[in-house]
Amino acid sequence: MPPRHEAGEAREDHILDADSGSATFGALMVKLLEMGGRPVTLLDGDLVRKELSSELGFSKEHRDINIRRIGWVASEITKNGGIALCAPIAPYDATRKDVRALIEPNGGFVLVHVATSLELCEERDRKGLYAKARAGILKEFTGISDPYEEPQDAEVVINTADLTPEEAAQEIILHLEREGFIGANAVPA
């Protein structure tokens, strides 16, 4: 594997609701792009589902397939020295571990848990999805009728109730700098 500052890197961010994390990842994407050096790709969960996994539903099997697809794309980006920012809702621990195992031989993998309480997710829900899930209109909805297994092995935990998206992005960037993935302190692995 090449030195960390040259190796590809995949960040897999796990969030309960897409809206709570979207702004964070947009801000992080901008900061990473400003730092330059390597190509950065954002694999937004909603967009990947629409463009790459539109035939899938939300059963456990289909969620696992979707997350593995995102992981495969991230591994290809990583293999080629890029940074993949993965922002899906990935509720199952075993699948997250499978994706980590797929990516780590080719570069870095940093699991960032965007910790947002269910209550805050519902409060921020602009699309009304949680209300529909609570009413039984939406089935297999993460955190309501489908489980969310909180990551116990996250390298970074971001509490969105306490931080702005920019502050959250800065916390992640500081971790990446400390670990030698980006910035002036980048060191060989």
Side-chain angles (χ1 to χ4, degrees):
M1 181 177 2
R4 277 192 166 175
H5 67 283
E6 294 175 8
E9 184 242 333
R11 275 190 42 260
E12 184 126 340
D13 302 289
H14 299 282
I15 55 182
L16 198 53
D17 101 290
D19 286 339
S20 72
S22 308
T24 302
F25 306 121
L28 179 59
M29 181 80 154
V30 168
K31 286 188 182 238
L32 285 172
L33 286 171
E34 286 173 350
M35 293 176 131
R38 288 188 282 165
V40 179
T41 302
L42 174 63
L43 298 174
D44 177 88
D46 287 341
L47 292 175
V48 171
R49 185 168 273 283
K50 178 183 171 195
E51 300 297 331
L52 188 61
S53 299
S54 61
E55 81 286 3
L56 298 177
F58 290 91
S59 67
K60 180 178 184 333
E61 177 187 9
H62 283 190
R63 286 175 187 259
D64 286 346
I65 291 168
N66 185 52
I67 296 306
R68 284 189 174 93
R69 286 179 183 174
I70 292 170
W72 183 83
V73 172
S75 74
E76 290 299 305
I77 292 166
T78 301
K79 236 187 278 189
N80 290 292
I83 297 174
L85 304 177
C86 306
I89 297 173
Y92 309 118
D93 185 58
T95 310
R96 292 190 299 259
K97 284 181 172 35
D98 289 347
V99 169
R100 181 186 288 269
L102 175 68
I103 294 169
E104 280 186 331
N106 300 308
F109 180 97
V110 177
L111 177 61
V112 177
H113 173 48
V114 180
T116 307
S117 71
L118 185 57
E119 294 76 22
L120 188 54
C121 289
E122 291 185 77
E123 197 177 295
R124 292 178 175 172
D125 181 21
R126 297 180 310 223
K127 300 175 189 172
L129 300 176
Y130 283 92
K132 289 178 182 175
R134 290 229 181 257
I137 298 167
L138 291 178
K139 308 292 184 206
E140 301 170 317
F141 195 83
T142 303
I144 304 294
S145 55
D146 199 57
Y148 178 77
E149 299 169 359
E150 189 170 318
Q152 301 302 308
D153 56 346
E155 284 82 6
V156 180
V157 177
I158 300 293
N159 184 335
T160 62
D162 298 335
L163 299 172
T164 67
E166 294 75 18
E167 291 168 333
Q170 187 61 34
E171 289 293 316
I172 296 166
I173 287 170
L174 289 172
H175 174 82
L176 296 175
E177 286 176 341
R178 277 192 306 272
E179 293 300 313
F181 286 111
I182 61 172
N185 296 326
V187 294

